Amino acid sequence: FLPFPMFFALLWTIIALGTAPVAGASTLYVSSSTGADSNAGTSPAAPLKSLAKAQALTTSGTSVLLLRGDQWLHEGLAIVLKDQVTVADYGNASLPRPLLVFTHTEKSTVCLMLQNVKSFTVRNIAFEGCTSGVRAEYTSDNYPGLTIENNLFRDIHQPVGSYQPAWGNWAEAISIGGASTNVVVRNNIAIRIDAFFASGSAVNGLLLDSNTVAKCGYNCVGMTGQNMLLTNSVFIRDTSPQLFLYGTTDIIVGTVSGNNTIENTDFNYRGEYEGGPDGCALDFETSATGFTVRNSTFYKSFGAGIMIFGHETTSHNLNIDSNTFIHAGCVQPRNDHGGIGVMCPGGHAPSATIQNNQFLTCKFANGSTSTPAIFINPAVKGCGDNLTLVNNGMDKMEVVDEPQISLSPVAPTSTAPIVKMPLLAETRTEGAELRYTLDGSRPGPFSPLLPPGGVVLEWPGPDVAFNVRGFKQGMLPSVTQGMIVERSVYAPRQHLTYTSSFDGLDGSVAQGTLAVRGWAVNWNLNGGHGAVQVQVNVDLVPVMTIVANQSRPDIVQPGTAPDPDHGFHAVLPIAVQKQLESGTHLLSVFFADDKHTQLAASPKCACKAQTCNC
C-alpha cells in the first residue's frame, strides 16, 4: 500500500478533481454593526445583519462572509442539505475574527451546525461560549469534504449543572456525528475548552495539522477510524478542571485501522485532576491496528507519555519511533506511569516496535531512577512478550531547556486604544537559538528566529498562538512552549474613564415637566469631547436613554470636563411621572455603553416625585 502522506495527498486530489463548481454560486455579506436584513447582502456596502437571514438565503455554492471585528450574541448558524458552502470573513485583516458567542447557560448551544453538507469550509471565525463550536452531522458517508481552518475556539464548556464524574458530558470545539470522509482541521487555536475534536463514528481520511490547543480539560482529541494524520501541532498545559473517574488524556485512540500517524507534535505538561487516573499525553485505549508515533516530544505528563491499554482486546503493530520523553509519567502514583506504560488488562499483550527513542527519566535524590523509561505491567504474565525494543537511549543526551515566554506590557496608565507590545522568550541553555511560529504550528529548525527585541504585535487584533522552541547542535530540541495571545479582547485600563453626576429630579408631575438632571463625560471618547448616552432606570427597570450633550459651564475644570457640552436635562415619559407620583422609588442612571457603571451620586430615591434620601 502507499505510504501515509502519499495516500492522503492522493485521496484529496481525487476529491478535488471530482468537485464541480455550483451553478449560481453567490456571496452573502453579513455585519452585525452596519448591516440590515432589508439589504440584499450581496455587497460589502449593503450587508445583512443577522445570521438567521443569511441562513435563509444560503443555497449550494454560497459563501457567507462575516465582517471582522463584529460579533453575534446568542445567534447560531445552521447549514442543512447544501453543497460547497463556505463561511469565512471579510474586511480589515488586522481586526479580530468575526465572533459567534453564547453566554454559558444550563442549555446546550451550537455556534455552527452542519447537517448532510458536502464540501464545507469554515475559516477565520471565532467561536466562544457554545457547547459545540462546529458540529457536523451525517446520515451516511456520502457527504465528503469538511475543512476547518484558522479559527479560534475559546471557553467551550459543558452546560452549567451538567457535570457528572462518571460520564464525560463534555463540550467540544469540533464534533462529528455519523460516518465522515476527508476532514481537514488545520491552523486552528483553542483555549479553555473541554475537548478539541471528537467523532462519534469512524472518520476515513482525517488531517489534524498545525493546531495549538491550550488548557484543554478532558480527552482533547479522539481518533477513531482509518487513514488519519495528526501532525505539526502543540498541546499546552491541558489539565482537567473537574474529576473524571476514568482519567483524561490529550489524545485518545479508539478502534483504528489503515495508515494512521501522529508525528512532529509536542505534548507539554499534560495534567490530571487530583486523585484521577491517567493524565497521559497519548492513550491507545482499545484496539488500534497499524499506528505510528514519531518525532514527537512528551514533556512532564502527569501519567505516561504514551499508555498502551486495551479492554476486550488491545493494540497491535504499533511503531513508536524517534520520540523524546522528558520526565514523563513521574507523578502518577498508579501503574500508568513512565515514558511509555504498557498495561495489558485482561491479559491481552500488545505488539509494538519501540525504537530510536530518547528517555530522560526522573531521579531520586541519590541519583537513581524513580520512574522507568518503559513500564511493563509486572502483574500480567507475558505483557511485554510482543514488544520489540531497538536502539532506545535512557539519560544519554541533553535537551535544550524549555523556553519561558514573557510579555512586555504598556504602562498601566496608557489610554491608547491601539498599542504595540513585544512577546519575548528565553531559555537557560546557553547558546541555544529560539525559533517561533504564529500560525498554530510546532516550530521547526527552519522556522523564523526570535528577534532580540521579541515579536511585536499590535493590540487589539486577531488572537494568535505564539509558539517557541529551542535548538542547539548536539542537543535534543526543547519542547514547544506556547501562549495563546488573546489580543481580540484588549482595551486600555480605564483611568479617569468617566466623570459624572446624577443631580436628581426637578419639575412637576402636575405640569408634565418632571425631569432628570445631571452630566456625564467618557474620557475615552475623543479625549472627553465626545457626547455619551446615559440610561435612566426606575426600580431597576430602564425607562429612557438620553444623550448628555447640553451645555453645563459649571463643570468645566481639569479632571471634570474638557468642555461644557456634557449635561442632560430630560423630561421623563408621562407614564413614568405618574408612577413616581406616589410611594418611594429607586432612581439609577448608568452609562448606556457600560451597564455596570453608574453616574456619581446614583442611585437616588424619589418620594412622591421629589428627590429624597433612600
Side-chain angles (χ1 to χ4, degrees):
F1 51 81
L2 289 171
F4 183 79
M6 292 178 61
F7 176 87
F8 201 90
L10 177 60
L11 188 63
W12 271 102
T13 300
I14 292 171
I15 292 299
L17 292 175
T19 302
V22 175
S26 63
T27 299
L28 295 174
Y29 297 87
V30 192
S31 169
S32 63
S33 61
T34 65
D37 284 347
S38 58
N39 291 336
T42 54
S43 75
L48 303 172
K49 183 178 183 67
S50 71
L51 298 181
K53 185 66 174 180
Q55 177 177 316
L57 296 178
T58 296
T59 60
S60 291
T62 299
S63 292
V64 181
L65 304 184
L66 311 183
L67 183 62
R68 294 188 77 102
D70 278 4
Q71 61 177 265
W72 287 262
L73 177 63
H74 296 162
E75 283 192 72
L77 179 63
I79 309 296
V80 180
L81 296 174
K82 306 294 191 299
D83 298 339
Q84 297 185 41
V85 174
T86 296
V87 175
D89 62 316
Y90 77 99
N92 187 343
S94 67
L95 294 177
R97 296 173 179 86
L99 173 65
L100 277 61
V101 58
F102 284 80
T103 54
H104 297 306
T105 69
E106 71 281 1
K107 298 179 180 180
S108 296
T109 52
V110 181
C111 280
L112 176 57
M113 180 70 194
L114 311 174
Q115 180 70 60
N116 288 2
V117 178
K118 294 181 181 178
S119 303
F120 179 86
T121 297
V122 55
R123 72 168 66 92
N124 294 329
I125 305 296
F127 303 95
E128 179 179 346
C130 33
T131 51
S132 290
V134 178
R135 174 72 178 170
E137 294 279 357
Y138 304 102
T139 56
S140 73
D141 59 1
N142 296 320
Y143 300 93
L146 172 62
T147 299
I148 301 171
E149 59 186 0
N150 200 31
N151 301 288
L152 166 70
F153 299 91
R154 179 169 59 205
D155 298 314
I156 306 293
H157 298 299
Q158 56 191 310
V160 173
S162 65
Y163 166 66
Q164 208 272 82
W167 183 255
N169 184 29
W170 305 320
E172 297 150 345
I174 302 166
S175 58
I176 297 177
S180 56
T181 59
N182 311 319
V183 177
V184 175
V185 180
R186 62 188 170 207
N187 298 108
N188 300 282
I189 56 178
I191 183 167
R192 296 184 302 273
I193 62 174
D194 285 359
F196 179 63
F197 178 87
S199 174
S201 299
V203 178
N204 185 2
L206 169 66
L207 175 63
L208 295 161
D209 182 14
S210 300
N211 301 291
T212 292
V213 178
K215 298 185 181 298
C216 174
Y218 301 101
N219 292 345
C220 299
V221 172
M223 299 182 73
T224 300
Q226 56 186 326
N227 306 317
M228 298 179 290
L229 172 63
L230 189 157
T231 183
N232 208 30
S233 295
V234 181
F235 294 82
I236 311 167
R237 293 178 293 278
D238 298 331
T239 300
S240 306
Q242 295 170 306
L243 175 65
F244 178 55
L245 294 175
Y246 309 107
T248 61
T249 181
D250 272 333
I251 312 295
I252 186 164
V253 181
T255 302
V256 303
S257 60
N259 295 292
N260 304 282
T261 300
I262 294 174
E263 64 180 13
N264 304 324
T265 292
D266 281 2
F267 301 89
N268 190 338
Y269 281 109
R270 174 66 214 196
E272 181 59 280
Y273 194 87
E274 185 65 29
D278 297 349
C280 306
L282 171 56
D283 177 7
F284 288 99
E285 181 68 15
T286 54
S287 56
T289 301
F291 205 111
T292 295
V293 182
R294 62 182 171 222
N295 300 323
S296 296
T297 302
F298 300 85
Y299 183 82
K300 293 187 177 180
S301 54
F302 180 84
I306 297 176
M307 181 170 69
I308 305 173
F309 199 70
H311 291 279
E312 291 79 11
T313 182
T314 189
S315 296
H316 292 285
N317 300 324
L318 304 182
N319 181 25
I320 302 173
D321 187 0
S322 302
N323 302 286
T324 302
F325 298 84
I326 305 171
H327 300 164
C330 296
V331 182
Q332 175 62 270
R334 299 160 63 102
N335 283 339
D336 45 345
H337 63 280
I340 300 173
V342 185
M343 306 309 299
C344 305
H348 301 294
S351 61
T353 299
I354 303 173
Q355 59 187 344
N356 306 315
N357 301 284
Q358 294 294 325
F359 297 86
L360 279 72
T361 60
C362 298
K363 305 293 183 183
F364 288 117
N366 63 7
S368 62
T369 299
S370 65
T371 303
I374 302 173
F375 174 83
I376 300 173
N377 191 350
V380 179
K381 184 178 180 180
C383 182
D385 286 355
N386 299 324
L387 303 179
T388 301
L389 309 182
V390 180
N391 196 35
N392 299 292
M394 188 174 76
D395 301 320
K396 291 183 177 180
M397 293 190 68
E398 293 184 304
V399 62
V400 175
D401 196 65
E402 177 192 29
Q404 296 301 318
I405 295 172
S406 62
L407 173 69
S408 182
V410 296
T413 55
S414 173
T415 58
I418 300 175
V419 297
K420 292 184 177 182
M421 292 184 274
L423 291 164
L424 309 165
E426 61 180 45
T427 176
R428 291 181 294 184
T429 301
E430 186 176 355
E433 60 183 23
L434 297 181
R435 295 183 178 271
Y436 76 97
T437 61
L438 294 172
D439 63 354
S441 64
R442 178 204 204 198
F446 301 105
S447 298
L449 279 169
L450 185 68
V455 176
V456 180
L457 298 178
E458 185 172 275
W459 303 53
D463 294 357
V464 297
F466 178 56
N467 290 331
V468 184
R469 193 164 169 233
F471 298 85
K472 184 177 181 179
Q473 188 173 3
M475 299 180 70
L476 296 170
S478 76
V479 70
T480 298
Q481 176 65 286
M483 169 187 178
I484 305 298
V485 187
E486 297 181 82
R487 298 188 293 163
S488 61
V489 293
Y490 172 77
R493 293 183 68 171
Q494 297 180 346
H495 286 265
L496 200 63
T497 299
Y498 301 119
T499 48
S500 61
S501 176
F502 173 36
D503 297 338
L505 295 169
D506 63 16
S508 71
V509 175
Q511 298 178 6
T513 60
L514 188 66
V516 289
R517 184 174 184 271
W519 58 271
V521 178
N522 182 345
W523 290 85
N524 282 340
L525 291 178
N526 194 22
H529 293 282
V532 301
Q533 289 185 317
V534 297
Q535 176 181 289
V536 180
N537 298 339
V538 174
D539 297 332
L540 303 180
V541 176
V543 296
M544 65 187 306
T545 299
I546 51 184
V547 179
N549 61 358
Q550 298 178 11
S551 181
R552 284 285 299 265
D554 60 306
I555 66 175
V556 181
Q557 53 184 302
T560 301
D563 61 65
D565 298 326
H566 295 282
F568 63 88
H569 183 262
V571 175
L572 293 165
I574 294 299
V576 175
Q577 295 187 45
K578 294 294 186 181
Q579 177 185 359
L580 298 178
E581 194 172 22
S582 61
T584 300
H585 300 273
L586 184 73
L587 304 179
S588 55
V589 184
F590 290 78
F591 285 88
D593 60 352
D594 183 357
K595 302 299 194 301
H596 298 289
T597 303
Q598 296 191 57
L599 274 60
S602 172
K604 295 180 182 294
C605 280
C607 304
K608 297 182 178 180
Q610 299 292 320
T611 304
C612 62
N613 293 325
C614 290

